[in-house]
Amino acid sequence: MIAAVTAVVVLAGVVFGYMYVRAADNRELEAALEPFAPSAENNDPSTQIPGVVVQDYQGANHVSAQQRVAYDVVPPFGGPHDQSWAACDGVVYDEAIRVENVVHSLEHGAVWIAYHPDKVTGAALDALRAKVEGENYLLMSPVPTLDTPISLQSWGHQLKLDNAQDPRVDQFIKALRANRFTHPEVGATCSELGPGRFDRDNPPPFDPTPPGPGALPMNSEGQK
């Protein structure tokens, strides 16, 4: 009986200690990220993050599900895009998906974590997945044509990285996820549109081939 009680007490102590350490780590992380929280005084804290590229794009330029856009960067982070957005309410896509749909998600305020499937695996992939799953205005997918292991996108913003443990991942998300100052369609949903529009269980696939002469140019106004 004494041994059993002792074992329970020890186990409870271990569990409490683990939870206390995790809570302390979370508090420390939140404190470190506080300077990257957007506010009326600091609309775009991402400009404090080394390596972030900022580009102005016009919103509400739509293409059909059959059209492609001649994006000028990989992955794209703005410009004309599909009328249907990719579900971005904490979805991790295991296969590469059509970028024209994802760009519309960025217009809604989502942050897209793209990764090269051959360069980010195992624990690094799990670490990124844990940041996304179940978190609204976040999505993640592989991009096999990516020129770096990891690339973060929000509307008009991009940050390319080599390491999943880089603190700039959390800084970028804190600064730009649903930041009302930096994307065109404030308050727009990230929920799934469903079959016939965008089905998260059967999303339109990524096309690795060049867009071709029929693709819509970046300076096109598309369809409103």
Side-chain angles (χ1 to χ4, degrees):
M1 176 70 73
I2 295 174
V5 171
T6 301
V8 170
V9 170
V10 170
L11 178 61
V14 170
V15 171
F16 176 79
Y18 173 77
M19 293 176 62
Y20 180 83
V21 170
R22 286 291 301 273
D25 289 345
N26 288 338
R27 288 194 298 270
E28 183 178 342
L29 176 60
E30 284 302 314
L33 292 177
E34 190 57 35
F36 300 95
S39 66
E41 295 74 30
N42 188 8
N43 291 181
D44 187 0
S46 75
T47 58
Q48 305 165 212
I49 304 172
V52 168
V53 174
V54 180
Q55 174 71 43
D56 287 330
Y57 290 109
Q58 181 180 346
N61 290 342
H62 295 152
V63 303
S64 71
Q66 289 73 42
Q67 286 181 297
R68 296 186 68 186
V69 177
Y71 290 117
D72 51 2
V73 293
V74 177
F77 56 101
H81 50 270
D82 194 275
Q83 299 178 40
S84 299
W85 58 89
C88 47
D89 49 354
V91 188
V92 175
Y93 297 94
D94 294 324
E95 302 295 332
I97 63 176
R98 184 168 175 261
V99 294
E100 284 84 357
N101 297 95
V102 183
V103 173
H104 195 156
S105 303
L106 305 184
E107 188 181 45
H108 284 200
V111 167
W112 173 29
I113 299 181
Y115 66 95
H116 195 294
D118 295 333
K119 298 176 182 178
V120 179
T121 59
L125 184 60
D126 291 342
L128 293 177
R129 180 186 293 269
K131 296 179 188 297
V132 174
E133 287 183 330
E135 297 292 336
N136 204 13
Y137 294 101
L138 281 176
L139 73 159
M140 174 174 155
S141 69
V143 176
T145 56
L146 191 57
D147 59 355
T148 57
I150 300 164
S151 185
L152 309 180
Q153 287 69 226
S154 73
W155 184 264
H157 298 73
Q158 186 172 70
L159 175 63
K160 294 192 173 184
L161 300 171
D162 295 325
N163 186 350
Q165 301 300 328
D166 194 311
R168 289 176 291 175
V169 175
D170 290 322
Q171 293 169 4
F172 189 95
I173 294 171
K174 183 72 172 181
L176 294 166
R177 180 170 64 139
N179 180 343
R180 62 190 179 94
F181 302 108
T182 59
H183 66 96
E185 296 188 1
V186 177
T189 182
C190 258
S191 298
E192 178 183 30
L193 286 165
R197 296 291 302 279
F198 186 94
D199 183 355
R200 74 177 67 203
D201 295 323
N202 187 30
F206 175 78
D207 188 342
T209 63
L216 198 70
M218 285 294 290
N219 60 0
S220 169
E221 292 189 357
Q223 307 165 11
K224 300 296 182 183

